[in-house]
Each structure stands twice: as structure tokens, then as C-alpha cells.
Amino acid sequence: MPTRTQAIVLAAGRSSRFNTSAIKLSFTLCGQEMIRYPLNVLKALKIKTLVVVGYQQEIIRGILDKYSYPVECVEQTIQKGTGHALLCTRPYWTEDTLLILNGDVPLITEAHIAELMKRHRSTAATISFIASYNADPSVIGYGRVIDNGEQVSIVEQREFTGDPARECRLNAGVYLIERAFLEDTLPSLETHPSGEIFITDLIHKASEQKKKIEIVDIPFDHVRGINTLKELWVAERLVRSDIINSWMAQGVRFIAPESVVIDYDVTLSPDTVIGYGVQLLKGTQVGRKVTIDAFSVLDGAIIGDSAIIHSHSVISHASVHGMAQVGPFARVHQHSTLHAESVVGNFVEVSKTTLGHKSKAKHLTYLGQAQIGKEANIGAGTITCNYNGVSKHATIIEDGAFIGSNSALLAPVTIGKEAIVAAGSTITESVPAQALAIARQRQTTKLHYAPLIKGKHAQAPDKLKLKLATQGS
Ligand code: UD1
Ligand code: CA
């Protein structure tokens, strides 16, 4: 939309009602930092943007540096309120109309801003702003729009003495204001007893000057401001349920949608089933006909068609190809790849490893820095010892190899094609293709010895010691 509007996002405040060490605008809402929500809208509308930073500005600047829409930052060195924050940007105003958004109103949409701009233009208003009716007296923290028939003003929560059920038009904190009016009026705003200058006092000033004020009312859910962790939780539930609804409409079955955590940039496909308490986090992509069972966590995971992720599995930054199976209780991470139809079973960790087509590691195993070919079988309790305390090394297991249970493979080591490692082996040297490697102590069996230990040990320790010495081991 071609525009002579410039946007200003207020993001310098102290977040005191969050009671957390980090500034609230750095908290994520469905995997995206709160400050990015207004910026997404401004980016979509192609409006040049200034962001007012101050409290913990290094955190906000860090987020903005990685953001795809370039914005300029203006510093508010002392946090003296929203009016003061806007005043700090005065030297940088370049356009005739200023669109000002509180940084903590993440659910405002592009359509709402477009409507505000349209109404502002069509009515030739001096100030337009977004509001919402909500008669619930437990909704606190908002300025209330008071219209006494002659003048309009916004009265902040802490100064409001009226009936909240009657005077229930709440200010969203999103304003479109003519620059000429701001140039004249903003410097004259008074400081409140709290030491702050309120941007909202501009409404009363405009009203006194008989300027045209336009109010655009939208549903309350979209004006929700985030001042507390509880409000963040409520807003996140709204965004999350929108995301889930949209995937349901595309054929994804959620067994218990209220228990699922899902981020904004996750992609799912039809006929996939998401179980109870599953977390689908940033960048996860799931194919068709996939089953993800209860309490699994997928973070940056790529899952191919018809794969099965059994319950309590954690897959982060790893790929699981079509028809592969993972879990229950498995961890696949650090850019590992499980090729098609491979199986990683319970209590198996796979890190920086590739597991080939139809290869299996079904129980109690650690595979780290390993390249495993096709149709290999990794027995229960196998450990690739990739770290010797000083440096890390790779293990190669070629196609069709069989690793017997409870084997330790000391990297760097290669197990050749179709080779067999006997159970309980500690492999320190590479095994050629089709060889059998046995690396364990021979068994000693002492006939009739068990009763001797069980029965006589307590009474005749000296005799037992003597027997042990004479029989040897
Ligand atoms: C503000 C409005 C209130 C409105 C509500 C909507 C004022 C005085 N009140 O109240 O009418 O209903 O938003 O959510 O504006 N900020 C700065 N510098 C400061 C103070 C704040 O940049 O010195 C930024 C904050 O980072 C935040 C935004 O301004 O993003 C709003 O500040 P906040 O303290 O949350 O205002 P509210 O009390 O919610
Ligand atoms: Ca707020």
C-alpha cells in the first residue's frame, strides 16, 4: 500500500509487571518474540518503521538485527512513559502521518491497521485509534475512552474512578496521528504524578482543539495487551488455537488439541495424527500419514510420510525419513538422519549420526558421530565411544553389519559390510567386511560352586578363599 505514513513501535518500557529478568517483548508467543508481531504487520503493509528502545535495548536490538524487515532504532534513555517515548522520536519524523503502536499488543492484524488507515483518511481525522468494548470489570490495565458528549478523553486505569461496566470502551494502544498536530501538541503534554507523560493525553488535547477524532472498534481478543505472564499465556492460547484450527481444516487430526504446543512456523500435512501433550516447535515439518504419539517433542524436526514417532520421544534438529519409527523414549538430535524404514527404539540416543535404510537400533543404545549403512542391526546396549576424553571420532558401520548386544565400539573404527561383532565385545580395531570379531574374556564355569558361595561363605570364609585359590579362574 503506497503510504505517507511512518510507524513508531514503542518498545522501551521496563516490563515491571512481568517480574522476570528479561524484557517482556523478548518472550516468545508461539515461537516468535512478541516484538516481532507488530513488525510483521508493518512489514506486510510496507510501512517504514522506527522502534523506540531503552530498557534492555541490547536484547531488542539483537532480535531486530535478525529480523527480515529493516527498522531503525531510537533510544529513550529514561523510561518516562509512552508520551515521552514518542517525543524521543521527534527528530526522525519524515512523513505526514504517524502510526504509533505499543510493542505489547501482538494480536492486532494487518486488516485492523488497514481499516484504521482507511477510516482516518476518509474522515480526514487528526487522531484515529483502535478500541474495544469489554464490560468485564476484571479486565484491568487499560485506559478507558470517556466521552461526556462534549469531549473525548482516555483515562488510565490508575486514575479511573467511574463504573468499569458502563465505561467499558478500552484503548488498544494503536494510534494514527497527523504530524502537524503532534508537532504542536506533544511537547505541551503534562507530566503525571508518576513522573510519566501519557500518549493518551493527546486525545483530550485534540478534543479540546475540536479536531476530528476517529475510533475504530475491534474485537477485544485483538487488543489484548501483554503486561503479565498470565496475559501472555492467554494470548498464546488464542494464537495456538488459531494455528491448530487451521491445521485441522487441512486434515490433521489432533487427539487432544488443548494439550498440544505448536509454533507459528511448523508445517503439517493431511492424515497425520498428533497425540496428547505433543510439542511441535520451531521449524518442524511433518509429512502425510505420520503418527506422533503422546508427549513427544519435535524441535526443528523434519519427519517424512508415514513415519511413526512413539510416545515420549525427543527429536531436535534431525530428519526422520518416510516409514521410519522412533521411540518410545528415544532422543534423536544434532542433525542426525534416520533413513526410510529404519527403526530407533526405546532408550536410544542418536546424535550426529546417519542410520541407513531399514537399519535398526531397537534398544538402549548410544549412536554418536556414526555413519551406519543399510540394513545394519545394532544390538541392545551398543555404545559408539566417540569421545576419548580429549577428542571426538567417528564410527562407520557398513551395510548389513550386525553388532551384538552390549558392544562398545571405540572410535575411530569401521565395521565392514556384513561383518558380525559378537555380543559383549569391546572393539578397538576395525573389522573387515564379512568377518566375525569377538573381543571379550572367555567364560569360566565352576561346577557346583554356587551353593558354596550362598551357603558356606558366611560360615567359612577362610575355606572358601582357599578353594578359590586352588581352583584358579
Ligand atoms: C497503555 C495505554 C493504555 C492502553 C494500553 C493498551 C498509556 C499511558 N496507556 O497502557 O491507555 O489501554 O496501553 O495496551 O499509554 N513504553 C516505552 N517507554 C516508556 C513506557 C512504555 O517505550 O517509557 C512502551 C512499552 O515498552 C510498551 C508500550 O510502550 O510496549 C506500552 O507501555 P505499557 O507500560 O505497557 O502501557 P500500559 O500501561 O499497558
Ligand atoms: Ca501494556
Side-chain angles (χ1 to χ4, degrees), residues 74 87-94:
V74 177
L87 196 56
C88 293
T89 65
R90 196 178 171 196
Y92 308 95
W93 296 346
T94 55

Side-chain angles (χ1 to χ4, degrees), residues 318-453:
S319 299
V320 176
H321 290 191
M323 294 169 74
Q325 292 197 38
V326 176
F329 296 97
R331 182 179 186 206
V332 182
H333 63 134
Q334 299 252 38
H335 308 287
S336 292
T337 301
L338 310 183
H339 282 281
E341 296 180 64
S342 60
V343 181
V344 162
N346 34 216
F347 305 106
V348 174
E349 177 178 353
V350 182
S351 171
K352 294 186 186 162
T353 284
T354 303
L355 188 64
H357 179 237
K358 287 191 172 174
S359 286
K360 296 184 172 78
K362 292 178 80 166
H363 330 265
L364 300 152
T365 286
Y366 172 64
L367 300 172
Q369 259 184 289
Q371 299 297 317
I372 301 168
K374 288 181 278 185
E375 295 184 43
N377 190 89
I378 314 293
T382 298
I383 307 287
T384 54
C385 309
N386 66 315
Y387 184 48
N388 58 16
V390 180
S391 51
K392 295 194 170 183
H393 298 280
T395 299
I396 297 169
I397 300 173
E398 294 179 350
D399 295 352
F402 180 97
I403 313 297
S405 295
N406 207 30
S407 293
L409 310 177
L410 269 65
V413 71
T414 298
I415 312 299
K417 206 171 167 186
E418 291 166 18
I420 297 177
V421 170
S425 293
T426 299
I427 298 294
T428 53
E429 290 160 24
S430 291
V431 179
Q434 296 191 328
L436 165 67
I438 308 173
R440 62 183 180 222
Q441 278 193 317
R442 275 199 169 277
Q443 179 172 332
T444 305
T445 305
K446 297 177 191 301
L447 296 176
H448 311 301
Y449 215 75
L452 196 70
I453 292 175

